[in-house]
Amino acid sequence: MLSTWVSVIVLLAVRHVRSEDGVQPCGQIQTSGSVVPLGSPVAATCVVRDDCPLVTGRAVHILWRLDEGFIAGSRVSHQNGTASKVVVPSFNRSRATLTCCVQASRLQVVAGVEIRAGHPPAAPQHLTCQTNLTDPIALTCSWDPGRETGLLTHYTLHTETWDLKKNWTYEVPPGLHRFTIPRSGLVLFSEMKIYVKAVNELGDATSSPVVLEPVSAAKFDLPRILRVNAVPGRSGCLRLRWALSQHQTWLHEQCFNLEVRLKPADSNQWNEQPILLGSVRPAKPVYQCRLLHGTRYFAQIRVQYQKSPWSGWSSSQTGVTLETAPTGRLDSWTKAWADHTHKQLNIQLFWKPSKQFRANGQNVSYIVSVQKAAGERGKVCATAGNHCTFQLPRKVRRVYLSAVNAAGRSSPTEVHIHHPKGRSVISDVTVIPPDDQSLLVQWKSQNTSALTGYVVEWRPLLLEDLSLVQFEMVDKNQSSLVIAGSIEPYKPYGIAVYPRYKDGIGLPQTVNAYSREKAPSMTPTLTLKKTWQSHIELSWDEIPLDKRNGIIQSYRVFYWSEKGPAKVVDSDLEARRVILKDLNTMFLYKAFIMVSTSGGSLNGSTIHFEIEPFDAVTIVMIVIASGVGMSLFMIFVVMTCFSNHKRIKGRFWPAVPDPANSSIKRWTSESTQSILPSWDNEEPNPIYLSHLSFLDLPTKLSTEDDDLWLKGSEVTSDLGESICGSPFIPGYSRSNSDSVPYATVIFSGPCSSPPPKEPQVYLRSESTQPLLEAEESFSPKCYQNIAAHGLPSDQCFFGPSHDCVPEEGAGSVILWDDFPFLRALAMNDTQND
């Protein structure tokens, strides 16, 4: 850009000098060429006329300048004026302005010229042409122009058609290195010669010609697979019918090269080498044989005409070969353990196809059977999966595994059932992840003399499906195995290595592993569990397995106070608790937990806690009070235990009789003996009454005494209530809900006096004794009141009436048969138990 402006300025300056004099310019530059090869030498001569006003009467001093820099020239003689010559040994600029100047009152430009440099064009390389047979039909050619020339280069495309004896030349737009020949310049099925010519100011060059037939240069559209089906009577063969695209069906009479590629439906890889079929017409089907029986295949094709480029692969179509019975054997792995009765074995049988196994069908199932005594096999299990769980008698030593499809059953694979061995020779099982999709399992054995091999079993721990269990049989001389295929990063896998013996399987060694680890997705929550005066215990729950993202390496608890440095406590992985010691009760503490795996660490949320303070005075007072209280208590206990005072003993050890097993009175009446049997002729029958008590009254009661017993509610407030208010009768209500009613027997004389002639009086009373309250079954029914001698006739005692209203005129009649408890009160002697 700078050189361009310099050129413009030079021309204006020269033009200005020329117009000022009105004659020819003062100077002129002659060069070997204005366009030169880059890096070649450039020679120039500047001639200044003697009559130039700028030099008239002065000594002429000519200077050379290339763009903005001065270069040295040499003075030469010239017949028309003063001349100077300059030589640039290597012109390595794409373009520059060479000016000739004279030194007058100031430096004046008298002549100038622009010099450009570049390269002659190289012969275009890699000329290729491709025909488009869809609308519009055309032939597009492209080429490589070679190195940049630095000069404007023109390209032309030339074609020669031998059948038409005609040549075409096409001008290529500047800057493009491709051109599309229209349909009018093509003969599709005739050869034509094509070449490219490049021209610039330093020369021209022509590419090597290309001879082709336009159709053979066509890249065809994607072909179509019309149908894929099995060949009747030919197992392992498929027949493909195909056609060209809709825009190219007019070429159906031509012969093409055809490539076919296939892959089983359960595979991700196409066959390594496509099958090439030559000279095939679209209307003719093609056959593919030597395929697996009863297998679904995906098929794709592509086409080529003579030496044309291959078309793209068609869309996939599927077909199934004819089914035959499964062939080959199955690899199996058996785990057995005894049930709780030790009479049968629990069996887990896993299997997978061996390298020689062929399902030869679409819907394959598996049958596990046992050999019966009659020679027949009894089916134990049938499944479409890869495992089976069942029970067998301990005497069974083998089962048979077969694969079944619609065409038949495979030969049975014999599976030996061995009792588990309580021996383990595996040690130091380690896992190293080579990459994110594989695990390298290594182990060591203590004694390999009795071993026949190993079984390596693995499964994802986040899923409980037994169909995900995989295994591999390993030779006894091998001590490592690479697990690949279904391994994912950040997911836990359980790996077990079992020793195999000739007569059984030994105990395994297990380990959990990850192909890649990272920091856990969550942290547990710290919980305050226990506190002491200066200690505190923090605990937390285990992180769920799906949130760990690796094997937990450590739990670290960081804690600090407001004015102290941070401290760290490491926890045992199993205990999941820490005790923070030597805490100050004056400060508020903060803590958080950091959980780490080999792939990273994660910090939990911060919790706050403090220790409740205990000042020295409070502690001393608590100790003194505790000591005094304990001393007084010990003194009191000693005095109570060794004291002879009955009142004190009665307060702490009262003699409470058992009402249900206490003898109230020794009865000797005939009526009593006739009712209750006697265990001892010398001793009266004991009567057990839980709601009766005895009360001795003086022979004569004064009016005050009558009032005391019958009307004095202040002393015996509950004696005047009707027995009908018993808590065992519906509708009972009373003032004291904690009392229990029972009967009080009132004697007119002391218990030692002879039996009175008149009947005794029974008063209803209540008790707060819990021992009596529990005996609900002995509660008396609501009996009619009976008028007693010496008492008012309207006094409410026992009676059959529900409202406890005294009866008129029948008070003197006692129906003893209706009152068994009262009948038992007849006394025959004066002795009171």
Side-chain angles (χ1 to χ4, degrees):
M1 189 68 181
L2 181 62
S3 61
T4 302
W5 282 107
V6 171
S7 301
V8 173
I9 293 171
V10 168
L11 293 177
L12 289 175
V14 172
R15 199 175 291 125
H16 173 73
V17 172
R18 183 176 56 186
S19 61
E20 182 177 293
D21 296 341
V23 294
Q24 295 181 356
C26 291
Q28 185 179 7
I29 296 178
Q30 299 174 356
T31 65
S32 56
S34 61
V35 180
V36 297
L38 189 65
S40 62
V42 176
T45 302
C46 178
V47 179
V48 180
R49 293 174 47 243
D50 293 336
D51 57 351
C52 177
L54 296 176
V55 299
T56 302
R58 299 184 182 91
V60 179
H61 182 58
I62 300 175
L63 299 176
W64 291 92
R65 193 165 61 176
L66 186 64
D67 284 343
E68 298 299 323
F70 289 94
I71 57 177
S74 59
R75 190 179 182 89
V76 295
S77 59
H78 198 276
Q79 59 183 2
N80 294 329
T82 303
S84 176
K85 183 178 180 181
V86 68
V87 176
V88 179
S90 177
F91 192 84
N92 51 12
R93 307 183 187 186
S94 60
R95 64 175 58 212
T97 302
L98 182 65
T99 56
C100 174
C101 307
V102 295
Q103 183 71 43
S105 59
R106 56 188 178 86
L107 191 66
Q108 298 287 338
V109 178
V110 294
V113 65
E114 183 184 47
I115 300 176
R116 292 180 293 115
H119 299 285
Q125 302 292 324
H126 309 297
L127 175 62
T128 58
C129 298
Q130 182 173 316
T131 305
N132 178 30
L133 294 178
T134 56
D135 192 23
I137 297 176
L139 177 66
T140 301
C141 296
S142 60
W143 58 90
D144 181 5
R147 67 177 180 177
E148 180 66 33
T149 63
L151 302 173
L152 181 61
T153 303
H154 297 278
Y155 292 92
T156 54
L157 181 66
H158 303 265
T159 63
E160 298 177 4
T161 304
W162 295 337
D163 288 354
L164 300 180
K165 306 295 183 183
K166 188 175 182 181
N167 300 335
W168 284 275
T169 300
Y170 303 95
E171 292 288 339
V172 180
L176 295 181
H177 307 296
R178 62 195 309 267
F179 188 80
T180 300
I181 302 173
R183 175 71 177 88
S184 59
L186 300 177
V187 178
L188 294 179
F189 294 97
S190 177
E191 288 187 347
M192 59 188 303
K193 179 181 179 181
I194 304 174
Y195 61 92
V196 179
K197 186 176 182 180
V199 178
N200 66 10
E201 294 173 289
L202 294 179
D204 58 66
T206 304
S207 69
S208 300
V210 173
V211 179
L212 55 83
E213 185 179 351
V215 176
S216 66
K219 183 176 182 178
F220 285 79
D221 294 342
L222 302 182
R224 298 172 295 155
I225 299 179
L226 303 178
R227 189 182 304 110
V228 179
N229 51 13
V231 180
R234 298 177 63 182
S235 299
C237 289
L238 290 176
R239 178 171 54 196
L240 286 75
R241 295 187 180 274
W242 66 283
L244 297 173
S245 68
Q246 295 288 349
H247 300 287
Q248 298 169 354
T249 53
W250 53 276
L251 296 168
H252 66 279
E253 294 296 334
Q254 303 297 321
C255 292
F256 295 88
N257 298 324
L258 187 70
E259 276 191 346
V260 182
R261 67 178 184 180
L262 302 167
K263 71 172 181 178
D266 58 353
S267 174
N268 296 324
Q269 299 293 330
W270 296 97
N271 52 337
E272 297 180 0
Q273 185 64 37
I275 302 169
L276 176 62
L277 303 174
S279 300
V280 179
R281 287 187 173 87
K284 183 179 179 182
V286 296
Y287 295 87
Q288 295 295 303
C289 293
R290 304 182 65 181
L291 305 177
L292 298 177
H293 300 179
T295 303
R296 180 175 295 276
Y297 281 92
F298 286 93
Q300 290 181 344
I301 61 172
R302 64 179 181 177
V303 296
Q304 177 193 52
Y305 180 79
Q306 294 183 4
K307 299 298 182 180
S308 71
W310 286 99
S311 69
W313 290 102
S314 69
S315 59
S316 299
Q317 293 292 336
T318 62
V320 182
T321 57
L322 293 179
E323 290 190 1
T324 58
T327 57
R329 65 183 304 277
L330 296 165
D331 291 336
S332 61
W333 155 233
T334 306
K335 292 193 288 186
W337 67 96
D339 65 355
H340 66 283
T341 63
H342 296 281
K343 295 181 179 180
Q344 288 190 324
L345 287 178
N346 296 316
I347 306 296
Q348 273 188 351
L349 177 62
F350 301 90
W351 58 84
K352 64 178 181 178
S354 65
K355 295 181 179 180
Q356 297 79 24
F357 179 80
R358 296 291 179 266
N360 296 334
Q362 292 296 297
N363 300 318
V364 180
S365 60
Y366 302 91
I367 294 177
V368 180
S369 57
V370 296
Q371 188 74 36
K372 292 185 177 180
E376 299 180 355
R377 292 195 180 103
K379 183 167 63 177
V380 175
C381 180
T383 178
N386 63 345
H387 67 93
C388 187
T389 301
F390 51 90
Q391 284 188 331
L392 289 176
R394 294 178 65 89
K395 63 180 181 179
V396 176
R397 288 292 179 267
R398 64 177 63 89
V399 296
Y400 299 91
L401 177 63
S402 302
V404 182
N405 62 14
R409 177 184 296 193
S410 68
S411 300
T413 299
E414 186 176 300
V415 179
H416 291 275
I417 305 297
H418 298 294
H419 293 271
K421 300 294 182 182
R423 292 175 289 176
S424 178
V425 297
I426 306 297
S427 63
D428 298 331
V429 178
T430 58
V431 179
I432 301 174
D435 50 50
D436 291 353
Q437 284 77 38
S438 62
L439 295 170
L440 173 61
V441 185
Q442 298 175 323
W443 63 90
K444 295 181 180 179
S445 300
Q446 300 173 357
N447 183 12
T448 60
S449 59
L451 292 178
T452 59
Y454 304 94
V455 179
V456 180
E457 181 187 81
W458 67 94
R459 68 179 182 88
L461 294 179
L462 297 181
L463 301 172
E464 298 296 333
D465 190 359
L466 288 178
S467 63
L468 300 176
V469 174
Q470 301 184 56
F471 67 93
E472 189 70 37
M473 299 293 181
V474 181
D475 187 76
K476 71 173 184 177
N477 297 323
Q478 187 174 341
S479 60
S480 63
L481 177 69
V482 176
I483 298 173
S486 60
I487 305 298
E488 299 181 31
Y490 316 125
K491 301 292 180 66
Y493 292 88
I495 302 172
V497 181
Y498 292 81
R500 284 194 304 146
Y501 301 96
K502 186 176 181 180
D503 57 348
I505 303 294
L507 297 179
Q509 288 292 329
T510 62
V511 66
N512 296 342
Y514 291 78
S515 62
R516 175 180 286 186
E517 300 185 31
K518 63 179 179 179
S521 301
M522 64 169 291
T523 57
T525 302
L526 290 176
T527 303
L528 184 62
K529 191 173 183 181
K530 294 181 181 179
T531 58
W532 296 272
Q533 183 177 354
S534 62
H535 300 348
I536 189 170
E537 180 179 341
L538 300 177
S539 63
W540 56 90
D541 294 331
E542 191 174 14
I543 301 176
L545 185 60
D546 59 337
K547 301 293 184 181
R548 298 178 191 175
N549 301 328
I551 298 176
I552 302 298
Q553 301 290 337
S554 66
Y555 294 103
R556 309 192 76 185
V557 176
F558 295 79
Y559 68 100
W560 66 95
S561 64
E562 298 172 345
K563 298 182 180 180
K567 298 181 180 180
V568 182
V569 178
D570 291 331
S571 168
D572 184 80
L573 296 179
E574 298 297 331
R576 296 192 302 278
R577 67 183 184 90
V578 295
I579 296 178
L580 309 183
K581 299 180 179 180
D582 301 328
L583 302 180
N584 196 322
T585 58
M586 303 298 294
F587 300 136
L588 176 67
Y589 284 86
K590 299 179 181 180
F592 69 87
I593 187 172
M594 181 177 74
V595 186
S596 301
T597 67
S598 62
S601 302
L602 182 67
N603 295 337
S605 57
T606 303
I607 66 169
H608 301 75
F609 62 90
E610 60 183 348
I611 305 298
E612 294 294 334
F614 284 93
D615 56 275
V617 177
T618 304
I619 295 174
V620 172
M621 292 180 63
I622 292 174
V623 172
I624 294 174
S626 300
V628 173
M630 183 61 68
S631 301
L632 293 176
F633 177 75
M634 294 298 296
I635 294 172
F636 178 76
V637 170
V638 171
M639 292 180 64
T640 303
C641 293
F642 294 95
S643 176
N644 294 325
H645 199 283
K646 294 183 178 181
R647 184 180 297 274
I648 295 178
K649 286 190 175 182
R651 289 292 182 181
F652 293 97
W653 294 283
V656 179
D658 185 359
N661 297 301
S662 299
S663 177
I664 298 177
K665 184 75 176 176
R666 192 164 52 187
W667 313 98
T668 58
S669 91
E670 296 179 358
S671 61
T672 304
Q673 292 179 357
S674 62
I675 296 174
L676 296 176
S678 176
W679 290 274
D680 192 350
N681 294 331
E682 297 179 0
E683 294 292 334
N685 296 333
I687 302 299
Y688 299 95
L689 299 176
S690 61
H691 291 73
L692 298 179
S693 65
F694 296 92
L695 182 65
D696 289 340
L697 293 178
T699 305
K700 292 184 180 180
L701 294 175
S702 63
T703 305
E704 295 179 358
D705 295 331
D706 294 342
D707 294 337
L708 175 65
W709 286 98
L710 302 178
K711 301 179 181 179
S713 60
E714 296 178 0
V715 180
T716 58
S717 59
D718 56 349
L719 295 177
E721 296 178 7
S722 173
I723 195 65
C724 296
S726 173
F728 309 109
I729 301 174
Y732 167 75
S733 65
R734 51 181 175 159
S735 61
N736 187 3
S737 61
D738 294 332
S739 62
V740 178
Y742 64 95
T744 301
V745 183
I746 303 177
F747 295 91
S748 59
C751 295
S752 60
S753 62
K757 296 181 180 180
E758 63 274 12
Q760 288 77 12
V761 178
Y762 302 92
L763 291 180
R764 183 258 184 198
S765 183
E766 294 183 0
S767 172
T768 58
Q769 175 59 256
L771 187 60
L772 299 178
E773 184 177 4
E775 300 180 5
E776 297 180 9
S777 61
F778 294 93
S779 176
K781 297 181 180 180
C782 184
Y783 291 96
Q784 182 181 1
N785 293 340
I786 301 175
H789 177 72
L791 293 174
S793 61
D794 59 349
Q795 178 65 39
C796 186
F797 293 104
F798 297 100
S801 176
H802 291 284
D803 53 0
C804 274
V805 177
E807 290 190 16
E808 301 262 343
S812 60
V813 181
I814 299 175
L815 302 177
W816 293 107
D817 294 334
D818 296 332
F819 302 95
F821 281 106
L822 299 181
R823 183 177 182 181
L825 293 178
M827 294 184 299
N828 292 329
D829 71 87
T830 60
Q831 185 178 356
N832 186 13
D833 289 341

